[in-house]
Amino acid sequence: MITDAAPGLSRLHQAWRLLACAAIGGLLWLATSVQLAQQHSAGPDTWFYTGDPLVGIACLVTLVWRRRFPLTVALATALASAVSTTASAAALLALCSLATRRRPMEIGAVLLVSVAASQAHVEFRMADAPNGPLWLQLVLAVLVMGITVAVGVAVGARRTEVRSLQHRAESAEREQLARAAQARTQERARIAREMHDVLAHRISLVAMQAGVLNHRADLSTDDRQVMIRGIADGAHQALEELRDVLGVLRADPDRPEQPQPTVESIPDLVTDARTSGLEVTWTTTVRGTPPETIGRACYRVVQEGLTNAAKHAPGAAVHVSAGGMEGHELRISVANSPATGVPARRPESGFGLLGLTERITLLGGELDHRRSADGGYLLAARLPWPRHDDEKRA
């Protein structure tokens, strides 16, 4: 929050200001003493040589609190300057400090008191000296104090500008830190989603094949060898895909990323599922090649559907279908029949469908997952497929 409160001063800055006031006040006192010595042939003025310096020193001490009580200090030093030449410099510094607050009512009140005090000082101390007409004395007093006020107002405006710039810099730094934290969070979520999409499918197929080996004692030696090779290949592919995902964290920013799966990769995904023992059929009526983001989302839908079928519906028949064309929408669905076996208990993340829903929603599509009428399960997605020209204009 930006206020007009003056910032605190260090001891060094406070000291040189007070020393400057003391030096100026001392010079004014010496000049006045010389003038008085020339005018008066009588004895020395006791008040001028004793009381005047003491009042000036008291005003210098009072200046220490000018930033905490600016109006009180300014009025006190202005009144003191009426009877003390030495206090004149302290009164000007207090007036300048008050003007940095840029409050017209306070400045006007202290300015009137200062002008009146200067005239009272002339009458009190310089009554016998040729000081010129009254209007000239008033003009000179207003001119000196006006310059003092102008300097104070300029200093106050500069302080406000500096505080404003500092406030903006701090706000920009906080916003930058917040954006960086948000970017890190989004990147972590993206990596976690990719790791789930990549690993859950492979590990589920490996677990399913291991479960078949554990429960099927009637398998021949050749069948067992095929299943064991399938488990080894699945584990190897899972490690390779995990390495590709984690490689993004260590990759050179200027190096292009690995190609991501699209709709054209779905047949390979179906083939891998069949090799692992799932009964999968695949039909497509897609005409054209959808954009990479849409194709990748469709691939992840099929991957999640096959993974869930392998986990929760062992022995079920799975049907994967896709259809759509440019300018309309792209539809993808994975439907499985009821399970014919007892699903094995496996650790579940619980974030597969949640992450998939977020991915589809960000692309402007809809994801539907529910139990089907025959007791199976359906996972379907609808994604907009704009025309290439419309996409470029957007």
Side-chain angles (χ1 to χ4, degrees):
M1 182 178 179
I2 300 175
T3 64
D4 59 355
L9 288 176
S10 64
R11 292 183 178 180
L12 178 61
H13 289 81
Q14 185 77 276
W16 79 258
R17 285 171 171 80
L18 296 181
L19 289 176
C21 280
I24 295 174
L27 291 176
L28 290 175
W29 183 85
L30 288 175
T32 305
S33 66
V34 171
Q35 188 176 7
L36 289 177
Q38 294 175 352
Q39 294 173 359
H40 299 280
S41 58
D45 189 344
T46 305
W47 166 257
F48 181 77
Y49 292 103
T50 57
D52 192 304
L54 291 177
V55 173
I57 293 173
C59 289
L60 287 176
V61 174
T62 307
L63 289 178
V64 176
W65 292 280
R66 70 186 182 279
R67 297 198 169 205
R68 184 177 299 179
F69 310 105
L71 181 59
T72 303
V73 173
L75 287 174
T77 53
L79 292 173
S81 65
V83 295
S84 173
T85 303
T86 314
S88 300
L92 290 178
L93 179 59
L95 177 60
C96 182
S97 181
L98 177 72
T100 60
R101 292 158 56 92
R102 296 182 297 169
R103 296 183 179 181
M105 295 297 294
E106 293 181 355
I107 295 173
V110 176
L111 194 61
L112 289 176
V113 173
S114 299
V115 172
S118 67
Q119 294 306 305
H121 180 268
V122 170
E123 295 296 329
F124 174 74
R125 182 60 56 195
M126 303 293 181
D128 299 331
N131 296 312
L134 178 62
W135 66 267
L136 181 59
Q137 298 175 24
L138 293 175
V139 168
L140 291 176
V142 171
L143 181 62
V144 172
M145 296 173 189
I147 293 174
T148 304
V149 170
V151 171
V153 171
V155 171
R158 178 60 180 171
R159 286 176 183 168
T160 302
E161 182 182 3
V162 170
R163 285 196 296 268
S164 176
L165 293 175
Q166 184 178 5
H167 178 73
R168 291 180 183 178
E170 292 174 353
S171 298
E173 184 177 0
R174 288 194 297 268
E175 292 176 1
Q176 184 177 3
L177 292 176
R179 286 195 297 268
Q182 183 180 8
R184 285 193 296 269
T185 302
Q186 292 176 349
E187 184 64 14
R188 289 171 183 168
R190 186 185 72 84
I191 293 173
R193 188 165 55 241
E194 290 294 331
M195 290 179 65
H196 174 273
D197 293 340
V198 168
L199 291 182
H201 176 69
R202 296 293 181 188
I203 299 301
S204 296
L205 297 181
V206 169
M208 185 185 67
Q209 291 173 318
V212 172
L213 283 176
N214 187 38
H215 293 91
R216 292 287 300 276
D218 58 339
L219 292 176
S220 63
T221 303
D222 293 339
D223 290 338
R224 285 182 176 275
Q225 291 297 326
V226 171
M227 297 293 289
I228 292 173
R229 282 197 301 270
I231 293 174
D233 292 342
H236 178 72
Q237 291 176 0
L239 290 175
E240 290 291 332
E241 292 175 349
L242 177 61
R243 185 179 64 182
D244 291 340
V245 173
L246 296 179
V248 176
L249 299 177
R250 299 187 296 268
D252 187 352
D254 298 330
R255 181 181 177 183
E257 295 185 6
Q258 296 292 332
Q260 297 293 322
T262 60
V263 174
E264 289 78 4
S265 306
I266 294 179
D268 297 332
L269 189 63
V270 172
T271 301
D272 292 340
R274 287 172 182 165
T275 304
S276 65
L278 280 177
E279 183 183 345
V280 187
T281 57
W282 159 248
T283 59
T284 178
T285 58
V286 177
R287 288 184 287 176
T289 302
E292 292 184 2
T293 54
I294 297 177
R296 188 182 310 122
C298 289
Y299 181 91
R300 297 306 184 192
V301 170
V302 175
Q303 191 177 51
E304 181 69 20
L306 294 177
T307 300
N308 290 339
K311 283 182 179 180
H312 309 295
V318 184
H319 179 66
V320 182
S321 62
M325 59 182 297
E326 185 180 4
H328 295 277
E329 63 181 11
L330 182 61
R331 301 176 302 279
I332 189 79
S333 66
V334 182
N336 62 268
S337 61
T340 60
V342 179
R345 292 183 60 85
R346 299 188 183 97
E348 299 180 6
S349 66
F351 296 105
L353 291 176
L354 182 62
L356 194 59
T357 302
E358 181 183 358
R359 184 192 295 270
I360 299 298
T361 302
L362 289 175
L363 294 175
E366 297 178 359
L367 183 70
D368 182 23
H369 51 91
R370 65 180 187 278
R371 288 282 180 184
S372 57
D374 60 355
Y377 202 83
L378 173 66
L379 177 63
R382 297 171 56 212
L383 289 161
W385 186 353
R387 295 185 183 275
H388 183 65
D389 295 339
D390 297 339
E391 188 177 6
K392 288 178 64 177
R393 284 197 295 270

